[in-house]
Amino acid sequence: MTQQTDGPAADTTPEGMSTVDGASTTPGFITETEVDRIPTLLAPTSGGPVAAGLYFRVGAADETLATAGLTHLVEHLALHRHGVSDLHYNGSTAATHTHFVVSGTPEEVVAYLNGVCASLRDLPVERLATEREILRTEQAGRGRGPNHQLPLWRYGARGYGLASYPEYGTLHLTADAVRDWAATWFTRDNAVLWMTGDTVPEGLDLTLPAGRRQPLPAPTSALPVTPAYLTGGSGGVVLDGIVRRTSAARLFAEVLGRALFTDLRQKGGYSYTADCDYHPRDTDHATITAYADALPQKQDAVVGGFIDVLARLRAGTIDRAELDSARAKVVKQYEIPDVGAAALPMYALNVLTGHENLTPDEHRAQLAAVTVEDLRDVARELYDSALIQVPGRGVDWAGFTEAPQWSAPSFGPEPLGTVHRSRASDAVSLAVGREAVTLSTPRGRIAVRYDACAAMRVFPDGARHLIGFDAFVVEVEPTLYAKLTPDRMALIDAAVPAAAVVPMPVRDPDEIPQPAARRGGLKGRALGMLRSLRPGRG
């Protein structure tokens, strides 16, 4: 009954329809009260079941790589006692929040919310091993979107970049760790409730421990320069950029999506899917993500057409009709029945994160004031922060700089420590030092400092895979390097912080890498050692 999402299930409200300020906004629209010291938002409906949602300001971006999945695990445990039911309920874990939602009769909604809070007060940790397996199964079956690698390239292996990684924490988290996380983050002071209806139903008990409203995670960066590009992927083109949260940015995403669809599908016939998405990241900024798919023989045309569209919008060559069409689509969201009830999830989320309040009238006024010049400014802001993934060749010609493929020099001309030669190639070596492990190849080096290690995957066969905060990986495989004795591995184990250690299950013998016939250069299976180059899901 749970899912991991990148936003609230009902988050279709336009940018700016946000938190209320005071007891109410527009009469009959949304009012604010309190239940068990938790801010509560109410909005009337014309009928149908009661809908409600309980938000907590905690998500995947608050974790570390070694504990990734901890919030998702708490969410699963909190819902376990509901079991199989005809009641429509769900839970979701996003980057910055966790959301428990339900719809039904007032009595059913009360029972669900009371049960969630009761479970959070006393998590059924006897279910921990079972829920770990369920989460790993869920993760294995979850599809990865075309932009699944961009977060780690932009943010590294922490914060918002954790969206690119497996939930390593589900492999080893203890009952104490889960209880402590729930007690710190799932508190009454870190929650907001929304509910359709004029009043709170009787019997609601949201008793939770006291805490504090947790700030949003500060964004990190693994990109020294933007706009930047990387190559590879599924064959399509995907771009994201960080812009300020404004009505102009929301409209620009609509204009960009329509322009890509018109040029790449309708006119060129290069793509089937060409679209753009706008998603708030934090209080002040949003992520705009654009994507276009392509057949192998059309990839160059899609890349060129994609960048041409962005260049046209940056130049301000935007028809007034494009803006008016996008504006009309957004404004229609205020014309639906029970607009207050529809807006509740976004209003509540913004109460939680402290985003600016706007009434629908105020937001309509902002939309009406957006000009073509405003869209041009957003286009330039998007380009300046852009990260694009393209198939085949790079896009230096369009002003993009290749994202770092190798670690920045930090230990002088030679890596410090004992050098272990590759069993497959004289051109490759691994240095194990007191500060870092370094993989050296003819093309460059990858280093992971122990004090900047986001996670170290520890395998029973002796291998150690170190993932740095910058998302670079060095795989220390005793089978691939000479004289990697237990004392050398012990040096690594002693230097990496215990909080970064992730015990891994036994590998199948076929999964343990073996050296190819020894060669003087990088050929054959020796290239397999270069998997350390930003594997994305290492």
Side-chain angles (χ1 to χ4, degrees):
M1 294 294 294
T2 60
Q3 64 181 6
Q4 192 170 30
T5 66
D6 289 330
D11 183 4
T12 58
T13 309
E15 180 64 20
M17 289 187 64
S18 312
T19 63
V20 293
D21 189 9
S24 67
T25 55
T26 305
F29 185 66
I30 289 179
T31 59
E32 184 172 359
T33 184
E34 193 175 88
V35 176
D36 293 323
R37 302 181 68 175
I38 295 175
T40 300
L41 308 187
L42 303 172
T45 62
S46 54
V50 175
L54 182 60
Y55 276 116
F56 291 92
R57 220 307 292 145
V58 57
D62 297 295
E63 302 163 349
T64 68
L65 181 56
T67 63
L70 183 48
T71 308
H72 198 188
L73 185 53
V74 171
E75 175 231 308
H76 267 239
L77 291 170
L79 290 179
H80 163 66
R81 293 191 176 110
H82 290 282
V84 178
S85 170
D86 293 332
L87 181 65
H88 182 67
Y89 69 91
N90 206 346
S92 62
T93 303
T96 59
H97 60 267
T98 301
H99 195 194
F100 297 97
V101 294
V102 62
S103 65
T105 65
E107 294 76 16
E108 290 172 331
V109 169
V110 166
Y112 170 80
L113 293 173
N114 288 359
V116 167
C117 291
S119 290
L120 289 172
R121 294 193 301 268
D122 182 21
L123 286 173
V125 292
E126 68 276 4
R127 287 276 306 174
L128 188 57
T130 301
E131 293 299 338
R132 283 176 178 167
E133 292 301 314
I134 292 172
L135 285 182
R136 287 200 285 271
T137 302
E138 179 183 341
Q139 184 177 185
R142 185 184 303 137
R144 301 191 300 176
N147 67 327
H148 73 274
Q149 283 194 317
L150 296 189
L152 77 88
W153 284 86
R154 177 177 292 280
Y155 299 109
R158 51 183 168 177
Y160 298 99
L162 298 185
S164 295
Y165 287 91
E167 294 176 334
Y168 287 133
T170 59
L171 296 170
H172 66 96
L173 291 169
T174 66
D176 285 343
V178 173
R179 287 194 193 97
D180 289 346
W181 192 256
T184 301
W185 295 88
F186 289 85
T187 67
R188 69 188 185 209
D189 299 295
N190 203 36
V192 173
L193 173 71
W194 63 267
M195 183 176 295
T196 60
D198 297 309
T199 60
V200 176
E202 293 184 2
L204 196 58
D205 180 7
L206 305 184
T207 303
L208 289 170
R212 69 184 182 96
R213 179 61 53 82
Q214 298 284 352
L216 288 162
T220 55
S221 178
L223 291 174
V225 177
T226 55
Y229 76 88
L230 62 144
T231 58
S234 60
V237 179
V238 59
L239 174 146
D240 74 10
I242 310 303
V243 299
R244 289 164 296 161
R245 286 181 66 172
T246 63
S247 294
R250 177 66 182 86
L251 291 179
F252 174 81
E254 287 287 339
V255 170
L256 176 57
R258 293 178 183 215
L260 290 172
F261 185 84
T262 299
D263 284 21
L264 300 183
R265 176 168 171 167
Q266 293 184 321
K267 293 181 179 178
Y270 306 136
S271 299
Y272 175 75
T273 300
D275 206 353
C276 185
D277 176 66
Y278 172 95
H279 184 77
R281 185 191 69 181
D282 52 39
T283 305
D284 300 316
H285 295 89
T287 302
I288 290 179
T289 304
Y291 172 73
D293 57 9
L295 293 172
Q297 61 271 28
K298 299 289 185 67
Q299 288 176 354
D300 287 346
V302 169
V303 171
F306 192 106
I307 291 177
D308 284 347
V309 168
L310 186 58
R312 174 175 73 82
L313 300 184
R314 284 173 57 214
T317 310
I318 304 170
D319 290 337
R320 179 59 186 257
E322 294 180 276
L323 170 57
D324 290 342
S325 179
R327 183 159 33 216
K329 178 180 177 181
V330 174
V331 168
K332 281 183 179 179
Q333 297 183 55
Y334 297 100
E335 300 171 357
I336 63 173
D338 300 329
V339 63
L344 276 172
M346 180 57 89
Y347 265 68
L349 182 57
N350 283 291
V351 167
L352 195 66
T353 59
H355 186 58
E356 178 189 12
N357 294 332
L358 289 180
T359 66
D361 286 343
E362 291 170 333
H363 188 55
R364 287 189 189 96
Q366 283 198 359
L367 290 170
V370 173
T371 65
V372 168
E373 289 72 22
D374 293 330
L375 298 187
R376 179 203 61 198
D377 292 342
V378 176
R380 293 175 178 177
E381 188 178 6
L382 175 67
Y383 175 81
D384 288 343
S385 65
L387 173 63
I388 189 170
Q389 184 172 13
V390 295
R393 297 172 294 177
V395 287
D396 308 77
W397 53 269
F400 292 81
T401 300
E402 187 175 24
Q405 303 295 304
W406 307 97
S407 298
S410 58
F411 298 103
E414 295 295 333
L416 300 177
T418 58
V419 177
H420 303 271
R421 298 295 177 187
S422 165
R423 299 182 189 276
S425 171
D426 291 333
V428 177
S429 65
L430 178 77
V432 178
R434 294 188 177 278
E435 297 182 27
V437 291
T438 305
L439 174 69
S440 296
T441 79
R443 291 185 287 168
R445 290 179 183 157
I446 297 172
V448 177
R449 295 181 60 99
Y450 305 132
D451 60 3
C453 181
M456 180 174 73
R457 302 191 298 169
V458 176
F459 293 90
D461 54 68
R464 304 288 188 266
H465 294 178
L466 287 79
I467 306 171
F469 287 142
D470 58 6
F472 282 114
V473 182
V474 173
E475 297 179 355
V476 183
E477 294 279 359
T479 55
L480 296 182
Y481 301 97
K483 300 181 181 180
L484 266 180
T485 57
D487 65 304
R488 303 313 300 161
M489 305 303 286
L491 186 152
I492 298 173
D493 290 345
V496 171
V501 173
V502 178
M504 300 296 291
V506 175
R507 291 191 287 187
D508 186 279
D510 291 339
E511 296 177 338
I512 299 174
Q514 300 296 328
R518 188 168 183 80
R519 301 175 186 269
L522 285 174
K523 297 181 180 179
R525 289 190 61 188
L527 286 171
M529 287 181 290
L530 295 187
R531 288 180 301 159
S532 298
L533 177 56
R534 299 257 191 165
R537 292 186 178 268

